Amino acid sequence: MNGAPLPRFPGGFTWGVATSAFQIEGATAEDGRGESIWDVFCRKPGAIRHHQTADVADDHYHRWREDVELMAGLGVGGYRFSLAWPRIQPTGRGPANPAGLDFYERLTDALLARGITPVPTLYHWDLPQPLQEHGGWLARETAARFAEYAGLAAARLADRIPLWITLNEPITVTAYGYALGFHAPGTALMVKALPTAHHQLLGHGLAAAALRAAGARQVAITNNYAPAWPASRTEADREAAHAYDILHNRLFTDPVLLGTYPDLSAFGLPAGLDCVRDGDLAAIAAPVDALGVNYYMPMRLSALPDSTLPFQMEPIPGYPVTAFGWPVVPAALTELLLLLRGRYGAALPPVYITENGCSADDQVTAAGAVGDEDRISYLDGHVRAVHEAMQAGVDVRGYFVWSLMDNFEWTEGFHQRFGLVYVDFTTQRRTPKDSFGWYRDLIAAQHD
Ligand code: FCB
């Protein structure tokens, strides 16, 4: 860890933590919640490590008051969470389930009462299962359904929510969910999954309009970004990195900020996506107020000839790795922010780091402590990296640690712990880790 004092951030900078509904709430069958594609996927043999499910997860649906108190103790100014679409619209269409909205309204009001700004994401991967039965994001209709749901959420909450996020990491949905099948809904369509990219983006555009029509003030979209490093100087590896960069970093950002799709010819689509209709790009490119950046690590790519995906991922030697095996490269976050600024220039809105953090093999000692020095070092490095990008002129307005607490890490189940708070999944006891104290002190020092 860097021993130098942490730099000072501008006064209005938001320090926050992030979670998502499916990963923490549990109570999957309570108060009228419908089934989501992740409920179904968790039951698929072999899909999740140790056959774990999120039926209980962190039991946040019942323990949210305690979790808000934890955040108040941390001193955060913002909380990024997600709304479960199947709680608000159990079948993905039709009128709202009032009990679902009540839950998020109580949470919102409790946050505001503690001086914490609620930053909800509308879609963090838990699509209502009935929509999947009509094609999910392969179906254009899902974009319209998403906008309808956005309107229902905003009709209840827009007066109290300053910033909405439409989608979380649509690249992960397209790549892991539909192209490779590691995530729900678990189809392995490869390039045929690409219509899900366009339909999610259209969903973003239509939802943004629905949010604003219902009085929402600011709207953003969040993606995962990773600087793409060629494994060697060869032309082939440079092209591989370029193709990865298009897919991972540009496919979901160029249309929103520039109103155009990047060149997809590396994926055998010289004429682009044929599901795009007149007017779609205008809807997608309606101005956003912020860009959400989730950053964990860079990617190193080499060429993979004669393959639909023309690249393969290579290890990045020479850096520490997290429990997930992800390389820890804070400088790549500065590089990424500068890349975004260079690429989009004046079209880049203010940026929020909407997720950043690491998993570690955390253990509670007999004395009830969790010494997670590696996480502190990870966060310290990345906070400095954000500051460096700001010094170089990138307009970053906030930083949200992933995650407030250990939770259901998708296919890894409860195995990968990302929290500032340790959760014992048998007793649901929450134990702040050392990183919690570190982050609390950082935030307090920024306000001195
Ligand atoms: C991101 C997801 C988030 C969490 C972290 C570790 O891709 O948005 O839900 O799983 O990775």
Side-chain angles (χ1 to χ4, degrees):
M1 196 173 111
N2 187 335
L6 271 170
R8 194 163 265 280
F9 284 68
F13 193 85
T14 300
W15 296 98
V17 284
T19 63
S20 87
F22 191 73
Q23 293 177 276
I24 64 167
E25 285 180 0
T28 49
E30 269 178 63
D31 294 339
R33 178 189 181 277
E35 196 169 48
S36 82
I37 56 172
W38 270 93
D39 298 299
V40 173
F41 189 68
C42 288
R43 296 198 290 267
K44 190 171 152 184
I48 313 292
R49 188 189 260 257
H50 302 319
H51 318 292
Q52 287 169 333
T53 74
D55 291 353
V56 178
D58 294 46
D59 196 30
H60 171 78
Y61 191 73
H62 300 116
R63 294 169 194 262
W64 58 273
R65 287 183 190 81
E66 180 185 351
D67 297 335
V68 171
E69 287 315 305
L70 280 166
M71 285 185 264
L74 194 51
V76 286
Y79 175 41
R80 174 177 180 242
F81 56 104
S82 79
L83 310 184
W85 186 350
R87 251 186 229 297
I88 292 179
Q89 225 185 6
T91 62
R93 61 180 72 237
N97 166 32
L101 287 171
D102 291 349
F103 173 70
Y104 296 112
E105 185 169 47
R106 285 193 294 269
L107 176 64
T108 296
D109 289 344
L111 290 165
L112 290 169
R114 292 307 224 145
I116 302 169
T117 300
V119 182
T121 301
L122 286 166
Y123 187 68
H124 202 124
W125 308 351
D126 43 1
L127 189 76
Q129 176 64 18
L131 294 185
Q132 188 57 39
E133 281 147 25
H134 289 93
W137 289 109
L138 287 167
R140 185 179 171 91
E141 168 71 9
T142 299
R145 298 278 65 77
F146 182 58
E148 184 181 77
Y149 149 61
L152 294 174
R156 178 75 82 93
L157 298 170
D159 57 339
R160 280 154 286 175
I161 303 276
L163 172 64
W164 296 78
I165 297 171
T166 54
L167 303 176
N168 178 65
E169 297 190 0
I171 179 59
T172 309
V173 171
T174 294
Y176 283 14
Y178 287 86
L180 302 168
F182 307 151
H183 279 191
T187 57
L189 298 172
M190 298 307 285
V191 169
K192 291 201 178 69
L194 279 171
T196 67
H198 182 62
H199 297 147
Q200 287 185 87
L201 283 166
L202 183 61
H204 155 78
L206 300 179
L211 289 169
R212 293 197 201 280
R217 282 164 273 167
Q218 294 195 60
V219 180
I221 182 170
T222 278
N223 235 310
N224 186 294
Y225 294 93
W229 295 349
S232 76
R233 288 166 188 271
T234 63
E235 187 57 29
D237 286 354
R238 282 214 296 266
E239 276 172 21
H242 181 63
Y244 182 88
D245 184 44
I246 285 179
L247 197 61
H248 194 94
N249 297 320
R250 292 180 52 191
L251 178 58
F252 292 93
T253 310
D254 285 16
V256 175
L257 300 185
L258 305 177
T260 54
Y261 273 103
D263 174 7
L264 296 171
S265 55
F267 305 96
L269 296 169
L273 293 170
D274 54 16
C275 55
V276 180
R277 296 199 193 152
D278 283 354
D280 287 1
L281 278 160
I284 292 168
V288 285
D289 303 286
L291 180 70
V293 168
N294 291 356
Y295 170 79
Y296 290 92
M297 63 189 147
M299 282 291 167
R300 181 164 170 262
L301 295 311
S302 66
L304 188 61
D306 305 321
S307 155
T308 357
L309 284 182
F311 51 75
Q312 60 190 336
M313 290 157 190
E314 300 287 348
I316 303 186
Y319 293 94
V321 291
T322 72
F324 234 135
W326 297 354
V328 179
V329 193
L333 176 53
T334 312
E335 177 186 329
L336 166 68
L337 293 167
L338 294 174
L339 174 85
L340 290 172
R341 210 255 323 248
R343 183 167 282 169
Y344 298 111
L348 182 70
V351 168
Y352 286 85
I353 308 300
T354 39
E355 285 181 29
N356 179 239
C358 69
S359 63
D361 184 19
D362 301 313
Q363 315 279 344
V364 188
T365 64
V370 184
D372 58 341
E373 280 307 309
D374 288 352
R375 179 170 293 103
I376 294 173
S377 164
Y378 182 100
L379 296 173
D380 178 276
H382 287 78
V383 163
R384 290 176 199 272
V386 171
H387 191 264
E388 216 173 300
M390 291 169 74
Q391 293 292 97
V394 186
D395 183 2
V396 185
R397 302 281 175 95
Y399 175 88
F400 293 75
V401 173
W402 183 270
S403 178
L404 166 65
M405 54 190 172
D406 298 338
N407 56 49
F408 181 81
E409 178 47 38
W410 311 110
T411 53
E412 289 288 314
F414 299 101
H415 182 68
Q416 298 291 346
R417 296 181 173 273
F418 277 87
L420 297 176
V421 175
Y422 183 96
V423 177
D424 177 326
F425 293 104
T426 311
T427 61
Q428 291 295 340
R429 178 196 285 268
R430 279 104 162 103
T431 305
K433 303 178 189 175
D434 285 359
S435 58
F436 181 100
W438 172 86
Y439 197 43
R440 183 196 53 214
D441 293 350
L442 178 159
I443 296 168
Q446 291 290 330
H447 295 315
D448 279 351

